[in-house]
Amino acid sequence: MSRDDSDEAYVIGLCNQVLERTALTQHTFDWLLGDPAASGRRAKLPVDAFWPDYRLVVEYREIQHDQPVAHFDKPDRLTVSGVHRGEQRALYDARRDGQIPAHGLRLVVIRPADLDADRRGRLRRNRDTDLATVRTLLPRASDEGRVTDAFRRWLLSEGWTPVTPADRWTDIEAVRGEERLICEAKGRTSEKGVDADIAYGQLLRRMTDQTTTIRYALVLPTSSVKTAERVPLHVRRALRIDLYEVTDEDQVLSHPA
């Protein structure tokens, strides 16, 4: 199958229709690089689709990005990173997840499970259903995207490394040494109380590991902080939930438990 006939091309076509712009496909940036080869050269890592007008990158990650598939992973061959292709794919996905927002771009990851797909991750190409889903994934303006991008940049400046979340519904996950931070982010909203309550509930569902080096974070715009602080400090402290405020100027302020 050619790239033009692939599921990736189909998904990008849906995005083009929603955004009413044509993406730059397999676009590269000077700052998004692979590991050095024996010669020392570092190849630029392409992204699936980039819309400069929206400062938006979309990655369509097929099933091999989330689970081992021998045909794609080539476990008997090592790459320039010294690992097989499956491990390198995960390494480079995490690099995209960290570097793209750190450079002021919004990243949206779409997976087969988001669309009408069979168990093997092949899209059935139910265009009407898939288009409706893509519309929900690609709002033209998202304050949550602004909050998330600003917080990712702050994490990098504080020595954290954003990683692919263990739970696909987690907004941001990052590691620093033995520490791990699992985050839920929200943007400006007219329903501050409802959104804060939902965010706390989402964090509670992520608490599947009792390791004390794991902390949880609620990342909010300034307008929602007081609402989130209605949960008493001693409760947030017991649950290891910190609050992070993203100001209108995209500065990050910490409100630790």
Side-chain angles (χ1 to χ4, degrees), residues 85-103:
R85 285 179 59 185
E87 293 173 311
Q88 188 181 57
R89 185 182 304 111
L91 176 69
Y92 285 178
D93 283 349
R95 190 166 299 170
R96 291 180 176 94
D97 291 348
Q99 290 296 315
I100 291 170
H103 283 81

Side-chain angles (χ1 to χ4, degrees), residues 217-253:
L218 196 53
V219 186
L220 302 165
T222 298
S223 59
S224 296
V225 171
K226 288 191 180 300
T227 303
E229 288 177 334
R230 294 186 307 184
V231 172
L233 179 60
H234 72 273
V235 174
R236 287 185 273 126
R237 186 170 291 154
L239 295 173
R240 305 196 304 277
I241 297 177
D242 300 317
L243 298 181
Y244 291 90
E245 174 185 353
V246 178
T247 70
D248 292 345
E249 293 75 32
D250 292 345
Q251 294 181 320
V252 176
L253 306 177

Side-chain angles (χ1 to χ4, degrees), residues 45-93:
L45 298 179
V47 298
D48 291 339
F50 174 50
W51 289 265
D53 289 353
Y54 294 112
R55 298 187 62 76
L56 171 67
V57 172
V58 166
E59 284 281 292
Y60 178 62
R61 293 188 182 161
E62 296 176 295
I63 197 166
Q64 66 267 21
H65 287 264
D66 295 310
Q67 64 187 55
V69 179
H71 171 73
F72 293 103
D73 293 349
K74 302 284 191 296
D76 57 334
R77 300 183 192 174
L78 296 184
T79 67
V80 296
S81 304
V83 296
H84 69 65
R85 285 179 59 185
E87 293 173 311
Q88 188 181 57
R89 185 182 304 111
L91 176 69
Y92 285 178
D93 283 349

Side-chain angles (χ1 to χ4, degrees), residues 155 160-163 172-176 179-183:
L155 284 171
W160 291 88
T161 301
V163 297
I172 304 170
E173 190 165 331
V175 295
R176 183 174 63 183
E179 299 175 280
R180 181 171 292 268
L181 189 63
I182 296 174
C183 313

